[in-house]
Each structure stands twice: as C-alpha cells, then as structure tokens.
Amino acid sequence: GTVALIVLAAVAIQSLVQPSLSAMLSQRVPSDAQGEVQGIGGSVMALGAVFAPLIYNPALAWFTAAGHPHWPGAPFAIAAWFVLLTLAALSRTPRRVASA
C-alpha cells in the first residue's frame, strides 16, 4: 500500500505536463489559431499513447532478455530522448509578440 501511494504521488506530477505544454504551445501562435494548435497537440498526445507501448515494450524486452545488455531503464532513456527532442523543437519556435 505504501509503495502504491508513493508511485501515485509521482504519477500525479505527470498531470502537470499537458497543461504546461498547452500553455507553451498557445504562446507561440496567433489567437485565431489556438483551437487548431490545441487540436494538433491533443492528437499528438493520443498518437503518443498508441505508439509508446509499441516502442517501449520491445525495448524493455530486448534489454532484459538473456544474452543482451541488461538495462531495464532503456524505455525511460528513449522517453527522455523524445522529451529533449520536443524541447529543442519548441525552443526554436518563436514566441508570439504580445499585443499592447
């Protein structure tokens, strides 16, 4: 029970990601494109939920199988790589100039 509560607290922090990402995306587009950007963002999140298990599960299976390098953290490293790639792309996108 205690371990489940600790894991639940760590997972709860994940709930801050989507609103923060939506806010960062909305700062970079004009106000007439907000809905389009939010829709694309939601679609990308849904695609991630579909394709992540297809990438992470085989990586975990390969890195924990006999005869292969033992690295059960490989899926987390792959996820971190995707996060860094996303942040790099986001940092290259100019912010919208706030109108006075």
Side-chain angles (χ1 to χ4, degrees), residues 69-92:
H70 185 73
W71 186 31
F76 297 102
I78 295 169
W81 183 81
F82 280 119
V83 168
L84 291 174
L85 185 66
T86 302
L87 289 175
L90 189 60
S91 70
R92 294 184 52 129

PDB file of all heavy atoms in Angstrom, residues 69-92:
ATOM      1  N   PRO A  69      22.492  -6.759 -23.397  1.00  0.00           N
ATOM      2  CA  PRO A  69      22.884  -5.879 -22.286  1.00  0.00           C
ATOM      3  C   PRO A  69      21.702  -5.666 -21.338  1.00  0.00           C
ATOM      4  O   PRO A  69      20.581  -5.439 -21.783  1.00  0.00           O
ATOM      5  CB  PRO A  69      23.257  -4.560 -22.971  1.00  0.00           C
ATOM      6  CG  PRO A  69      23.430  -4.886 -24.415  1.00  0.00           C
ATOM      7  CD  PRO A  69      22.631  -6.116 -24.692  1.00  0.00           C
ATOM      8  N   HIS A  70      21.955  -5.785 -20.041  1.00  0.00           N
ATOM      9  CA  HIS A  70      20.878  -5.630 -19.052  1.00  0.00           C
ATOM     10  C   HIS A  70      20.732  -4.148 -18.704  1.00  0.00           C
ATOM     11  O   HIS A  70      21.553  -3.580 -17.994  1.00  0.00           O
ATOM     12  CB  HIS A  70      21.176  -6.448 -17.791  1.00  0.00           C
ATOM     13  CG  HIS A  70      20.054  -6.407 -16.805  1.00  0.00           C
ATOM     14  ND1 HIS A  70      18.882  -7.085 -17.006  1.00  0.00           N
ATOM     15  CD2 HIS A  70      19.910  -5.749 -15.636  1.00  0.00           C
ATOM     16  CE1 HIS A  70      18.067  -6.856 -16.000  1.00  0.00           C
ATOM     17  NE2 HIS A  70      18.668  -6.051 -15.151  1.00  0.00           N
ATOM     18  N   TRP A  71      19.695  -3.542 -19.232  1.00  0.00           N
ATOM     19  CA  TRP A  71      19.424  -2.126 -18.974  1.00  0.00           C
ATOM     20  C   TRP A  71      17.918  -1.903 -18.971  1.00  0.00           C
ATOM     21  O   TRP A  71      17.336  -1.466 -19.958  1.00  0.00           O
ATOM     22  CB  TRP A  71      20.108  -1.248 -20.014  1.00  0.00           C
ATOM     23  CG  TRP A  71      20.011   0.206 -19.744  1.00  0.00           C
ATOM     24  CD1 TRP A  71      19.955   0.819 -18.530  1.00  0.00           C
ATOM     25  CD2 TRP A  71      19.957   1.255 -20.709  1.00  0.00           C
ATOM     26  NE1 TRP A  71      19.874   2.183 -18.679  1.00  0.00           N
ATOM     27  CE2 TRP A  71      19.877   2.472 -20.018  1.00  0.00           C
ATOM     28  CE3 TRP A  71      19.976   1.282 -22.088  1.00  0.00           C
ATOM     29  CZ2 TRP A  71      19.812   3.694 -20.655  1.00  0.00           C
ATOM     30  CZ3 TRP A  71      19.910   2.493 -22.729  1.00  0.00           C
ATOM     31  CH2 TRP A  71      19.837   3.685 -22.020  1.00  0.00           C
ATOM     32  N   PRO A  72      17.251  -2.213 -17.856  1.00  0.00           N
ATOM     33  CA  PRO A  72      15.797  -2.064 -17.811  1.00  0.00           C
ATOM     34  C   PRO A  72      15.342  -0.609 -17.896  1.00  0.00           C
ATOM     35  O   PRO A  72      14.159  -0.347 -18.110  1.00  0.00           O
ATOM     36  CB  PRO A  72      15.401  -2.688 -16.481  1.00  0.00           C
ATOM     37  CG  PRO A  72      16.641  -2.873 -15.708  1.00  0.00           C
ATOM     38  CD  PRO A  72      17.793  -2.793 -16.648  1.00  0.00           C
ATOM     39  N   GLY A  73      16.241   0.345 -17.771  1.00  0.00           N
ATOM     40  CA  GLY A  73      15.883   1.752 -17.880  1.00  0.00           C
ATOM     41  C   GLY A  73      15.865   2.270 -19.307  1.00  0.00           C
ATOM     42  O   GLY A  73      15.629   3.458 -19.530  1.00  0.00           O
ATOM     43  N   ALA A  74      16.084   1.391 -20.291  1.00  0.00           N
ATOM     44  CA  ALA A  74      16.124   1.818 -21.692  1.00  0.00           C
ATOM     45  C   ALA A  74      14.849   2.537 -22.138  1.00  0.00           C
ATOM     46  O   ALA A  74      14.948   3.575 -22.807  1.00  0.00           O
ATOM     47  CB  ALA A  74      16.421   0.631 -22.599  1.00  0.00           C
ATOM     48  N   PRO A  75      13.654   2.059 -21.795  1.00  0.00           N
ATOM     49  CA  PRO A  75      12.458   2.807 -22.216  1.00  0.00           C
ATOM     50  C   PRO A  75      12.419   4.225 -21.648  1.00  0.00           C
ATOM     51  O   PRO A  75      11.955   5.154 -22.313  1.00  0.00           O
ATOM     52  CB  PRO A  75      11.290   1.966 -21.674  1.00  0.00           C
ATOM     53  CG  PRO A  75      11.845   0.597 -21.546  1.00  0.00           C
ATOM     54  CD  PRO A  75      13.280   0.782 -21.184  1.00  0.00           C
ATOM     55  N   PHE A  76      12.925   4.408 -20.439  1.00  0.00           N
ATOM     56  CA  PHE A  76      12.964   5.748 -19.855  1.00  0.00           C
ATOM     57  C   PHE A  76      13.963   6.630 -20.593  1.00  0.00           C
ATOM     58  O   PHE A  76      13.734   7.823 -20.786  1.00  0.00           O
ATOM     59  CB  PHE A  76      13.299   5.673 -18.370  1.00  0.00           C
ATOM     60  CG  PHE A  76      12.264   4.937 -17.571  1.00  0.00           C
ATOM     61  CD1 PHE A  76      12.482   3.634 -17.174  1.00  0.00           C
ATOM     62  CD2 PHE A  76      11.068   5.548 -17.235  1.00  0.00           C
ATOM     63  CE1 PHE A  76      11.531   2.945 -16.453  1.00  0.00           C
ATOM     64  CE2 PHE A  76      10.105   4.869 -16.514  1.00  0.00           C
ATOM     65  CZ  PHE A  76      10.331   3.564 -16.118  1.00  0.00           C
ATOM     66  N   ALA A  77      15.073   6.050 -21.011  1.00  0.00           N
ATOM     67  CA  ALA A  77      16.054   6.804 -21.792  1.00  0.00           C
ATOM     68  C   ALA A  77      15.475   7.193 -23.153  1.00  0.00           C
ATOM     69  O   ALA A  77      15.697   8.310 -23.629  1.00  0.00           O
ATOM     70  CB  ALA A  77      17.332   5.988 -21.964  1.00  0.00           C
ATOM     71  N   ILE A  78      14.716   6.304 -23.767  1.00  0.00           N
ATOM     72  CA  ILE A  78      14.075   6.623 -25.038  1.00  0.00           C
ATOM     73  C   ILE A  78      13.070   7.750 -24.846  1.00  0.00           C
ATOM     74  O   ILE A  78      13.002   8.694 -25.644  1.00  0.00           O
ATOM     75  CB  ILE A  78      13.403   5.366 -25.635  1.00  0.00           C
ATOM     76  CG1 ILE A  78      14.456   4.319 -25.998  1.00  0.00           C
ATOM     77  CG2 ILE A  78      12.564   5.729 -26.866  1.00  0.00           C
ATOM     78  CD1 ILE A  78      13.877   2.959 -26.341  1.00  0.00           C
ATOM     79  N   ALA A  79      12.285   7.668 -23.770  1.00  0.00           N
ATOM     80  CA  ALA A  79      11.303   8.719 -23.484  1.00  0.00           C
ATOM     81  C   ALA A  79      12.000  10.050 -23.235  1.00  0.00           C
ATOM     82  O   ALA A  79      11.542  11.101 -23.703  1.00  0.00           O
ATOM     83  CB  ALA A  79      10.452   8.335 -22.278  1.00  0.00           C
ATOM     84  N   ALA A  80      13.112  10.026 -22.508  1.00  0.00           N
ATOM     85  CA  ALA A  80      13.861  11.254 -22.246  1.00  0.00           C
ATOM     86  C   ALA A  80      14.397  11.844 -23.548  1.00  0.00           C
ATOM     87  O   ALA A  80      14.413  13.069 -23.719  1.00  0.00           O
ATOM     88  CB  ALA A  80      15.009  10.972 -21.280  1.00  0.00           C
ATOM     89  N   TRP A  81      14.801  10.979 -24.473  1.00  0.00           N
ATOM     90  CA  TRP A  81      15.285  11.463 -25.765  1.00  0.00           C
ATOM     91  C   TRP A  81      14.158  12.183 -26.508  1.00  0.00           C
ATOM     92  O   TRP A  81      14.375  13.242 -27.094  1.00  0.00           O
ATOM     93  CB  TRP A  81      15.829  10.287 -26.582  1.00  0.00           C
ATOM     94  CG  TRP A  81      16.399  10.709 -27.889  1.00  0.00           C
ATOM     95  CD1 TRP A  81      17.637  11.225 -28.128  1.00  0.00           C
ATOM     96  CD2 TRP A  81      15.736  10.684 -29.149  1.00  0.00           C
ATOM     97  NE1 TRP A  81      17.778  11.513 -29.464  1.00  0.00           N
ATOM     98  CE2 TRP A  81      16.624  11.180 -30.110  1.00  0.00           C
ATOM     99  CE3 TRP A  81      14.477  10.271 -29.559  1.00  0.00           C
ATOM    100  CZ2 TRP A  81      16.293  11.282 -31.451  1.00  0.00           C
ATOM    101  CZ3 TRP A  81      14.151  10.380 -30.900  1.00  0.00           C
ATOM    102  CH2 TRP A  81      15.054  10.873 -31.825  1.00  0.00           C
ATOM    103  N   PHE A  82      12.950  11.614 -26.477  1.00  0.00           N
ATOM    104  CA  PHE A  82      11.808  12.270 -27.122  1.00  0.00           C
ATOM    105  C   PHE A  82      11.488  13.604 -26.457  1.00  0.00           C
ATOM    106  O   PHE A  82      11.145  14.578 -27.126  1.00  0.00           O
ATOM    107  CB  PHE A  82      10.570  11.368 -27.104  1.00  0.00           C
ATOM    108  CG  PHE A  82      10.577  10.322 -28.179  1.00  0.00           C
ATOM    109  CD1 PHE A  82      10.558   8.980 -27.848  1.00  0.00           C
ATOM    110  CD2 PHE A  82      10.582  10.668 -29.518  1.00  0.00           C
ATOM    111  CE1 PHE A  82      10.550   8.010 -28.825  1.00  0.00           C
ATOM    112  CE2 PHE A  82      10.582   9.707 -30.510  1.00  0.00           C
ATOM    113  CZ  PHE A  82      10.565   8.364 -30.166  1.00  0.00           C
ATOM    114  N   VAL A  83      11.610  13.665 -25.136  1.00  0.00           N
ATOM    115  CA  VAL A  83      11.366  14.922 -24.420  1.00  0.00           C
ATOM    116  C   VAL A  83      12.384  15.973 -24.839  1.00  0.00           C
ATOM    117  O   VAL A  83      12.031  17.121 -25.121  1.00  0.00           O
ATOM    118  CB  VAL A  83      11.401  14.705 -22.894  1.00  0.00           C
ATOM    119  CG1 VAL A  83      11.451  16.031 -22.149  1.00  0.00           C
ATOM    120  CG2 VAL A  83      10.200  13.885 -22.450  1.00  0.00           C
ATOM    121  N   LEU A  84      13.649  15.594 -24.898  1.00  0.00           N
ATOM    122  CA  LEU A  84      14.688  16.544 -25.300  1.00  0.00           C
ATOM    123  C   LEU A  84      14.486  17.000 -26.745  1.00  0.00           C
ATOM    124  O   LEU A  84      14.670  18.183 -27.055  1.00  0.00           O
ATOM    125  CB  LEU A  84      16.072  15.920 -25.125  1.00  0.00           C
ATOM    126  CG  LEU A  84      16.501  15.686 -23.684  1.00  0.00           C
ATOM    127  CD1 LEU A  84      17.827  14.936 -23.648  1.00  0.00           C
ATOM    128  CD2 LEU A  84      16.596  16.994 -22.938  1.00  0.00           C
ATOM    129  N   LEU A  85      14.090  16.093 -27.609  1.00  0.00           N
ATOM    130  CA  LEU A  85      13.822  16.450 -28.997  1.00  0.00           C
ATOM    131  C   LEU A  85      12.663  17.444 -29.083  1.00  0.00           C
ATOM    132  O   LEU A  85      12.728  18.434 -29.820  1.00  0.00           O
ATOM    133  CB  LEU A  85      13.505  15.187 -29.792  1.00  0.00           C
ATOM    134  CG  LEU A  85      13.313  15.323 -31.282  1.00  0.00           C
ATOM    135  CD1 LEU A  85      14.627  15.726 -31.952  1.00  0.00           C
ATOM    136  CD2 LEU A  85      12.820  14.008 -31.859  1.00  0.00           C
ATOM    137  N   THR A  86      11.631  17.199 -28.296  1.00  0.00           N
ATOM    138  CA  THR A  86      10.476  18.104 -28.281  1.00  0.00           C
ATOM    139  C   THR A  86      10.848  19.469 -27.730  1.00  0.00           C
ATOM    140  O   THR A  86      10.446  20.508 -28.272  1.00  0.00           O
ATOM    141  CB  THR A  86       9.343  17.491 -27.447  1.00  0.00           C
ATOM    142  OG1 THR A  86       9.009  16.219 -28.002  1.00  0.00           O
ATOM    143  CG2 THR A  86       8.127  18.374 -27.422  1.00  0.00           C
ATOM    144  N   LEU A  87      11.610  19.492 -26.642  1.00  0.00           N
ATOM    145  CA  LEU A  87      12.024  20.778 -26.074  1.00  0.00           C
ATOM    146  C   LEU A  87      12.926  21.550 -27.027  1.00  0.00           C
ATOM    147  O   LEU A  87      12.833  22.777 -27.111  1.00  0.00           O
ATOM    148  CB  LEU A  87      12.715  20.559 -24.729  1.00  0.00           C
ATOM    149  CG  LEU A  87      11.806  20.123 -23.587  1.00  0.00           C
ATOM    150  CD1 LEU A  87      12.634  19.817 -22.336  1.00  0.00           C
ATOM    151  CD2 LEU A  87      10.759  21.171 -23.293  1.00  0.00           C
ATOM    152  N   ALA A  88      13.782  20.851 -27.756  1.00  0.00           N
ATOM    153  CA  ALA A  88      14.639  21.523 -28.736  1.00  0.00           C
ATOM    154  C   ALA A  88      13.793  22.139 -29.848  1.00  0.00           C
ATOM    155  O   ALA A  88      14.024  23.284 -30.255  1.00  0.00           O
ATOM    156  CB  ALA A  88      15.645  20.533 -29.318  1.00  0.00           C
ATOM    157  N   ALA A  89      12.794  21.399 -30.318  1.00  0.00           N
ATOM    158  CA  ALA A  89      11.915  21.937 -31.360  1.00  0.00           C
ATOM    159  C   ALA A  89      11.106  23.115 -30.831  1.00  0.00           C
ATOM    160  O   ALA A  89      10.931  24.128 -31.506  1.00  0.00           O
ATOM    161  CB  ALA A  89      10.981  20.849 -31.877  1.00  0.00           C
ATOM    162  N   LEU A  90      10.630  23.010 -29.603  1.00  0.00           N
ATOM    163  CA  LEU A  90       9.845  24.084 -29.000  1.00  0.00           C
ATOM    164  C   LEU A  90      10.700  25.328 -28.766  1.00  0.00           C
ATOM    165  O   LEU A  90      10.240  26.455 -28.959  1.00  0.00           O
ATOM    166  CB  LEU A  90       9.220  23.616 -27.688  1.00  0.00           C
ATOM    167  CG  LEU A  90       8.214  24.535 -27.032  1.00  0.00           C
ATOM    168  CD1 LEU A  90       7.029  24.778 -27.956  1.00  0.00           C
ATOM    169  CD2 LEU A  90       7.738  23.948 -25.717  1.00  0.00           C
ATOM    170  N   SER A  91      11.950  25.142 -28.388  1.00  0.00           N
ATOM    171  CA  SER A  91      12.813  26.300 -28.140  1.00  0.00           C
ATOM    172  C   SER A  91      13.159  27.042 -29.430  1.00  0.00           C
ATOM    173  O   SER A  91      13.470  28.223 -29.395  1.00  0.00           O
ATOM    174  CB  SER A  91      14.086  25.868 -27.418  1.00  0.00           C
ATOM    175  OG  SER A  91      14.906  25.120 -28.288  1.00  0.00           O
ATOM    176  N   ARG A  92      13.099  26.359 -30.563  1.00  0.00           N
ATOM    177  CA  ARG A  92      13.385  27.005 -31.845  1.00  0.00           C
ATOM    178  C   ARG A  92      12.182  27.732 -32.413  1.00  0.00           C
ATOM    179  O   ARG A  92      12.310  28.493 -33.359  1.00  0.00           O
ATOM    180  CB  ARG A  92      13.871  25.968 -32.849  1.00  0.00           C
ATOM    181  CG  ARG A  92      15.203  25.361 -32.464  1.00  0.00           C
ATOM    182  CD  ARG A  92      15.656  24.430 -33.532  1.00  0.00           C
ATOM    183  NE  ARG A  92      15.611  25.129 -34.811  1.00  0.00           N
ATOM    184  CZ  ARG A  92      16.601  25.195 -35.672  1.00  0.00           C
ATOM    185  NH1 ARG A  92      17.708  24.589 -35.414  1.00  0.00           N
ATOM    186  NH2 ARG A  92      16.470  25.845 -36.805  1.00  0.00           N
TER     187      ARG A  92
END
